Amino acid sequence: MTRPGADADAGAGAGEAEERRPEGFEGDHDILWAAFHVLPAGAVLIDRAGQIMNVNAEAERLLGRSVASMRGADAHDLLHRDRVGQAVARSDCRMLAAMDEDRTTSGDLDTFLRGDGHLLPVEWSTAPIRGREGVAGAAVLFTEVTNRLESQYRAERELAELRDRTERLALLAEVTTVLTQSLEVEETLRRLGRIVTRRLSDWAVVVLRGDDEREHRMAVLPSDRPTRNGEGEGGDDAQGAGGEAEVRWSAPLPPAAESATTPLANVLRRGKLSTLGPDEISTPVDCPLTAAHRELLAARGAASAVIAPLRTARHVLGALTAVRNDPTRPFDGTEEALLSDIAYRAGLAIDNARLFRQQRDIAVTLQHHLLTPLPRVGELQLAARYLPAGAGAEVGGDWYDALVLGDGVTALIIGDVLGHDLDAVAGMAQLRNMLRSLAWDRREAPSVIFDRLDRAIPAITTVTMATALLARVEELPETGTWRLQWTSAGHPPPLLVTADGQARYLEQHQDPMLGTQLAGSLQRHDVIERLPPRSTVLLYTDGLIEEPGISLDAGLERLRSHATELAERPLDDFCDQIVKQVRPGGRDDIALLAMRVPRAGRAPSR
């Protein structure tokens, strides 16, 4: 604050007005009275009632008032203001409190009202003047602190700017963290909508290019703002069944023509931020994409909007439109820059999710091609299922297999290669093909086949570790019954379900996983189990029984309990219901292989 010049008549009446000295300035105190007038600080003498008795020359100069114009006036009402120029309540005045409390008081960065109406930033101190009968008045000394106030204002502005920058960096860090936690495009957009509407806009719209860039889709993003019913804003555009926010896309729209010059077209083509005001929102356009965008904004009462490109270093994926409905709150330059940064980070997250989806689709397709059809084996029933992990999760190395061996016995195989990526799928293909060859080549016990496989793994595959189970299923001619002979390399135990609804796990002899480098130093075991007529054996991978937050024992018991209820179902229905009732949220892929033996045949006569 720059202090205006003093009034031309300041001090003019100092020698003409009759001086009033408070009690205590008579006689021998003339020297003090003289010093009062030459003090380098402004000085005001007030009586016990708070009225101005006298002021010195410096006070006249600083206040732009003459002594004659001030004498007799109430000092508090005439001069005292708070920092922003508002009158101070008399009960809160610390200058007057000096007399009431008989003690020195002070104020830092208050203001006094000058004669020209401007505010004078001051630092002041008030000391009571004691007479024969107590406090007779007070002396108020003050100095101008305009420079200090300006420095403080500047420091506060810099602090506010620093706080804004810190909050902006914190928000961008939050955006990066939140958006990169998902590898699924829809979830990334849901999170983007909540962040933008919580901090910057009333609602938001996204336009995305299709994978082939021949079409675009538009959607209102789910909002984090409460509505009258307590849910997020967005209405039918953003709320799914059960109140779950979801992204609902419009019908496909053609891309903007090369000749289109609308802000949305410029954002999608050039990747430069654009803004819309009421006039632009209401202006008709010929471009179908822009027209649908404008119609949506107008229908939902938009007053201003910022369109920021969702982009990467290589290309523009789409556009984020942040919208405000209040015409008195247009976006400012800082908010526009922040939305541009947010949209850039969102574009990277969306591109990453799309690339992951493409890679995952390739892996799923490859995995499905590697899972050969099940053989038909007389009255023996076989059924299998493979389900990749849910969207946003990587594909694993789970597989199942069944084949008729050279001696006519049916082999069942289930396995899981360590890892969740294309390398795991490739390793699964290597291990599956090797195991098929080793099992078919010789008539050997499953444990011997696994021993040979374990020795070969480090030499001719890229597999690090895997769990697997190999079983031989054969009919016993002398009794007409069936038996299961198997070995397990660290794999979850088979589940035997009888026709009368009893179920138990076959948990004998769990041997180490494949790839542990223990081949040759350990003896693997075979287990034999006679199978009751019409019984079902279920082989599965760990995705069927593992779920965050519950123990492995709880997962096994849940599977066993469901299986007992399904014992009489047809085998395909049995598998479908097992997956439907037990599968925990799709965090891991699942392979399962079920076998049901026929009714007992007659033993051959001798």
Side-chain angles (χ1 to χ4, degrees):
M1 180 184 299
T2 303
R3 182 181 62 81
D7 288 350
D9 65 343
E16 302 172 1
E18 179 184 357
E19 294 182 341
R20 292 178 56 204
R21 304 186 186 190
E23 185 180 0
F25 275 87
E26 295 90 347
D28 296 336
H29 298 284
D30 284 349
I31 189 170
L32 294 178
W33 189 244
F36 168 78
H37 281 293
V38 296
L39 281 173
V44 178
L45 293 178
I46 59 176
D47 62 18
R48 187 66 182 82
Q51 293 181 339
I52 297 175
M53 301 170 61
N54 214 331
V55 300
N56 69 354
E58 181 66 5
E60 289 184 283
R61 185 186 71 80
L62 291 174
L63 295 173
R65 300 174 185 270
S66 67
V67 62
S69 66
M70 290 186 281
R71 184 173 290 135
D74 186 285
H76 172 78
D77 293 341
L78 180 68
L79 302 176
H80 200 187
R81 301 293 183 270
D82 65 15
R83 183 172 169 179
V84 296
Q86 298 297 314
V88 179
R90 198 172 191 85
S91 59
D92 297 331
C93 181
R94 288 178 292 160
M95 288 195 302
L96 299 179
M99 295 185 292
D100 295 336
E101 300 171 8
D102 193 12
R103 66 180 180 87
T104 299
T105 59
S106 60
D108 185 23
L109 295 181
D110 276 357
T111 60
F112 284 173
L113 183 64
R114 286 173 42 85
D116 57 9
H118 289 85
L119 296 174
L120 178 72
V122 296
E123 180 180 60
W124 58 266
S125 176
T126 300
I129 299 174
R130 299 175 182 87
R132 298 185 184 92
E133 298 180 359
V135 175
V140 181
L141 300 181
F142 64 94
T143 57
E144 180 183 8
V145 290
T146 299
N147 292 337
R148 191 200 308 176
L149 186 62
E150 289 179 345
S151 297
Q152 180 163 336
Y153 283 156
R154 184 167 54 253
E156 289 178 352
R157 286 196 301 270
E158 291 172 353
L159 180 61
E161 291 172 0
L162 178 60
R163 186 181 298 111
D164 289 342
R165 287 195 295 270
T166 302
E167 291 177 353
R168 175 175 175 174
L169 290 174
L171 177 58
L172 293 177
E174 178 189 355
V175 168
T176 302
T177 301
V178 170
L179 296 186
T180 55
Q181 286 176 342
S182 174
L183 289 172
E184 195 264 318
V185 173
E186 303 288 323
E187 178 59 27
T188 299
L189 292 175
R190 279 192 288 269
R191 296 181 181 196
L192 174 63
R194 294 188 183 103
I195 290 173
V196 171
T197 57
R198 186 170 69 246
R199 301 291 185 90
L200 291 165
S201 70
D202 295 328
W203 53 285
V205 180
V206 69
V207 175
L208 279 189
R209 296 179 186 269
D211 291 337
D212 59 3
E213 299 195 3
R214 288 184 297 180
E215 65 180 28
H216 294 60
R217 289 181 180 270
M218 181 170 61
V220 177
L221 296 183
S223 171
D224 208 35
R225 287 178 174 267
T227 57
R228 293 178 182 176
N229 60 8
E231 297 179 349
E233 286 186 351
D236 294 337
D237 297 299
Q239 293 295 328
E244 288 295 325
E246 62 181 37
V247 179
R248 295 195 174 187
W249 296 101
S250 67
L253 295 164
E258 288 295 328
S259 58
T261 59
T262 63
L264 177 60
N266 288 333
V267 170
L268 293 172
R269 188 176 299 116
R270 299 181 178 86
K272 299 295 184 181
L273 181 140
S274 293
T275 59
L276 295 177
D279 293 340
E280 293 88 351
I281 293 171
S282 60
T283 301
V285 291
D286 294 331
C287 172
L289 177 62
T290 301
H293 184 255
R294 296 270 182 95
E295 288 171 6
L296 178 61
L297 297 185
R300 295 174 65 92
S304 60
V306 175
I307 310 175
L310 297 167
R311 60 186 176 87
T312 68
R314 296 170 294 140
H315 55 270
V316 177
L317 303 173
L320 168 68
T321 305
V323 188
R324 285 179 179 169
N325 290 356
D326 185 351
T328 65
R329 292 181 57 245
F331 292 93
D332 60 30
T334 300
E335 292 168 329
E336 292 172 6
L338 183 56
L339 282 166
S340 180
D341 284 342
I342 291 173
Y344 176 68
R345 283 162 172 76
L348 294 176
I350 292 169
D351 190 50
N352 188 45
R354 282 183 166 179
L355 292 174
F356 173 80
R357 185 186 63 194
Q358 293 170 2
Q359 183 186 48
R360 183 177 179 277
D361 290 345
I362 292 171
V364 170
T365 301
L366 174 62
Q367 196 153 25
H368 276 297
H369 281 301
L370 291 171
L371 299 173
T372 53
L374 299 176
R376 295 181 178 275
V377 189
E379 295 185 88
L380 194 68
Q381 298 180 44
L382 297 175
R385 298 290 184 271
Y386 172 75
L387 288 87
E394 294 185 295
V395 175
D398 295 27
W399 91 97
Y400 65 82
D401 199 2
L403 67 155
V404 178
L405 303 178
D407 58 1
V409 173
T410 301
L412 306 179
I413 301 168
I414 192 92
D416 186 0
V417 172
L418 184 67
H420 290 86
D421 50 28
L422 278 174
D423 289 339
V425 177
M428 177 272 285
Q430 295 173 348
L431 204 60
R432 169 191 173 276
N433 292 335
M434 285 179 59
L435 185 51
R436 286 175 69 93
S437 298
L438 292 174
W440 195 89
D441 180 54
R442 306 177 190 176
R443 182 173 181 174
E444 294 176 326
S447 61
V448 177
I449 296 172
F450 264 15
D451 186 59
R452 288 200 289 144
L453 178 66
D454 207 9
R455 289 197 299 270
I457 283 175
I460 58 176
T461 77
T462 59
V463 175
T464 54
M465 297 184 73
T467 69
L469 186 147
L470 171 62
R472 288 170 56 93
V473 185
E474 56 186 315
E475 186 178 12
L476 302 177
E478 63 275 12
T479 62
T481 59
W482 294 76
R483 77 173 183 181
L484 183 74
Q485 180 184 7
W486 80 93
T487 188
S488 175
H491 201 79
L495 178 62
L496 175 62
V497 184
T498 61
D500 61 355
Q502 301 297 313
R504 62 184 175 90
Y505 288 102
L506 307 178
E507 299 180 285
Q508 306 93 313
H509 288 302
Q510 277 283 8
D511 293 327
M513 298 170 62
L514 299 171
T516 56
Q517 308 296 318
L518 297 176
S521 63
L522 62 86
Q523 179 181 359
R524 294 189 178 275
H525 301 85
D526 291 290
V527 183
I528 296 177
E529 181 80 22
R530 290 185 181 272
L531 303 177
R534 297 289 298 161
S535 61
T536 302
V537 175
L538 178 65
L539 309 181
Y540 53 92
T541 55
D542 57 5
L544 195 63
I545 56 174
E546 291 183 352
E547 179 182 0
I550 69 169
S551 67
L552 182 59
D553 287 343
L556 288 166
E557 175 56 29
R558 183 173 59 181
L559 172 60
R560 190 198 66 79
S561 176
H562 285 308
T564 60
E565 299 172 0
L566 303 170
E568 296 182 355
R569 297 284 188 96
L571 194 60
D572 279 320
D573 190 30
F574 175 91
C575 291
D576 290 338
Q577 294 301 319
I578 284 290
V579 170
K580 179 180 179 181
Q581 296 185 42
V582 180
R583 190 180 187 215
R587 293 174 179 263
D588 196 3
D589 50 350
I590 296 172
L592 61 86
L593 176 60
M595 174 203 67
R596 181 168 292 167
V597 299
R599 300 183 186 277
R602 293 183 180 179
S605 58
R606 302 196 178 190

